[in-house]
Amino acid sequence: MPSSYQRWTVTEPYLDLHCSLGEGPYYEEATNHLRFVDIIKRQLHTVDLGVGPKSLKTLQFDMPVGVTADIEGVDPRKKILIGGKSGVYILDRETGKCDLLKRFLDSEEKDERMRSNDGAIDPQGRFWVGTMNDFWVGEPQAEGSLFRFDSDLSRKILRSSLTIPNSIGWSRDHKTLYFTHSTEKRIIAFDFDVSTGDISNERVFWQHDGNGDPDGFKVDAEGNIWQAIYGESRVLKISPEGKLVGEITYPTKCITCPVFIGTEIWVTTADDHDKTKPYAGAVFKVDVGIVGLKEFKFKLDKKIPGL
């Protein structure tokens, strides 16, 4: 590695709560809260970072939830957007009730085989989310899709025949959409039209050659992608030119997804089923000296009931 290669080592967790599949970390800047899901245990965890780990609160779902997002103009302590079992929902955090806004698929038979995975809000407030086979199906098949939901809840499939679609994000200038397809071990780049939400000119931005699988990522203020590698105990720092320029190592294998909180990267992890090592499913943090790009909020048409 070149002498400029950056390395960080994390040895202790911030929160050791043994998630089966911790995912979707999201920082609520207005409240200084961190929230994240456990897709397998069907839970939403929330921590008040001003108080610390003892403030952990857990909400139990009756379905797998892969991702959450804030809604523009709505207090996130009351309602948020979630990608759930059958589509896009509004979660009432005070009652725990989930109201379905729009299905992924019109056929309930196909719908039953699927669940949401990762997702993100684009610069115009549209919700992008990938779907994949639900756990009961077994080994994931190429039945997943990449969806875009606009403010009026119109739905468009951008890519189909995906197996494990994962993180979605944008370059600093919003002209490039990055998308991780874990099954192919790659980050795919597209030209992105901000006004229409259309994508074109598909190409491989970065190809992983290790044993693990790229999972979630976030983009920093300099355009670097911080890519979690599931199975390798690492988050990789990849430059805007697609070069590996640094890494964070952790004491557990299955790193799932990062999020920036100031200049710190926080990550969720999953159970690696190795009883000889601690901290599987924990949450970790480390200061990497740079902030992330701001998160966008879903611009839901105010005429739609549920807010």
Side-chain angles (χ1 to χ4, degrees):
M1 290 291 177
S3 58
S4 59
Y5 192 81
Q6 296 176 284
R7 295 182 186 273
W8 297 264
T9 301
V10 184
T11 58
E12 300 283 334
Y14 171 82
L15 190 62
D16 189 15
L17 75 169
H18 308 291
C19 287
S20 291
L21 182 52
E23 272 283 7
Y26 189 98
Y27 178 54
E28 297 173 13
E29 188 174 4
T31 63
N32 195 30
H33 283 59
L34 172 71
R35 66 176 188 251
F36 56 98
V37 297
D38 186 329
I39 304 178
I40 291 176
K41 290 182 180 176
R42 303 181 171 190
Q43 293 172 332
L44 174 70
H45 298 294
T46 307
V47 184
D48 182 338
L49 301 183
V51 176
K54 66 181 181 181
S55 67
L56 177 70
K57 293 182 179 178
T58 301
L59 179 65
Q60 186 68 47
F61 295 118
D62 61 1
M63 64 176 171
V65 172
V67 62
T68 72
D70 283 359
I71 304 167
E72 191 169 273
V74 176
D75 186 341
R77 292 170 295 186
K78 296 184 176 179
K79 293 184 178 183
I80 57 175
L81 190 77
I82 62 172
K85 166 65 181 168
S86 301
V88 181
Y89 302 73
I90 287 182
L91 167 66
D92 186 321
R93 298 179 80 177
E94 295 175 325
T95 66
K97 186 168 181 261
C98 296
D99 289 322
L100 180 63
L101 289 177
K102 185 84 169 185
R103 284 188 173 276
F104 291 128
L105 301 166
D106 296 324
S107 163
E108 290 195 32
E109 181 181 354
K110 285 185 178 179
D111 185 79
E112 182 59 29
R113 292 178 60 83
M114 311 305 291
R115 66 168 178 86
S116 71
N117 204 37
D118 207 350
I121 308 295
D122 76 15
Q124 289 294 317
R126 296 169 287 233
F127 183 44
W128 295 67
V129 60
T131 60
M132 62 178 289
N133 285 134
D134 204 348
F135 300 105
W136 67 266
V137 176
E139 190 69 23
Q141 307 299 308
E143 298 177 17
S145 299
L146 177 61
F147 288 88
R148 189 190 73 218
F149 291 89
D150 293 357
S151 297
D152 61 358
L153 297 180
S154 57
R155 177 188 69 200
K156 184 171 183 178
I157 295 176
L158 281 303
R159 287 294 180 273
S160 56
S161 302
L162 300 171
T163 307
I164 305 179
N166 231 303
S167 260
I168 303 147
W170 288 266
S171 59
R172 286 191 301 170
D173 62 7
H174 304 158
K175 292 181 179 179
T176 303
L177 180 148
Y178 300 113
F179 165 62
T180 296
H181 191 213
S182 297
T183 321
E184 295 182 286
K185 295 180 183 281
R186 63 180 51 162
I187 301 173
I188 300 165
F190 300 89
D191 292 347
F192 179 68
D193 187 319
V194 176
S195 61
T196 64
D198 291 337
I199 54 176
S200 59
N201 189 26
E202 179 176 348
R203 64 245 185 221
V204 176
F205 172 75
W206 181 77
Q207 182 72 51
H208 186 56
D209 60 3
N211 293 325
D213 299 320
D215 200 324
F217 72 74
K218 282 292 182 287
V219 182
D220 71 24
E222 294 177 350
N224 302 292
I225 293 176
W226 296 77
Q227 175 69 66
I229 306 295
Y230 189 95
E232 287 186 19
S233 307
R234 298 194 293 168
V235 168
L236 303 181
K237 181 181 180 182
I238 303 163
S239 75
E241 294 74 42
K243 305 296 183 185
L244 187 58
V245 294
E247 66 179 81
I248 311 167
T249 56
Y250 298 87
T252 189
K253 280 175 62 176
C254 299
I255 316 303
T256 55
C257 194
V259 67
F260 277 95
I261 300 179
T263 59
E264 293 177 334
I265 282 186
W266 294 57
V267 298
T268 47
T269 66
D271 189 356
D272 59 10
H273 307 290
D274 182 352
K275 302 299 183 188
T276 67
K277 291 185 178 178
Y279 307 144
V283 173
F284 300 86
K285 64 170 182 165
V286 62
D287 196 319
V288 295
I290 190 168
V291 299
L293 294 180
K294 75 168 187 173
E295 298 279 354
F296 300 103
K297 298 182 180 183
F298 186 52
K299 293 182 179 178
L300 183 60
D301 190 322
K302 295 298 186 283
K303 297 191 287 289
I304 294 170
L307 292 181

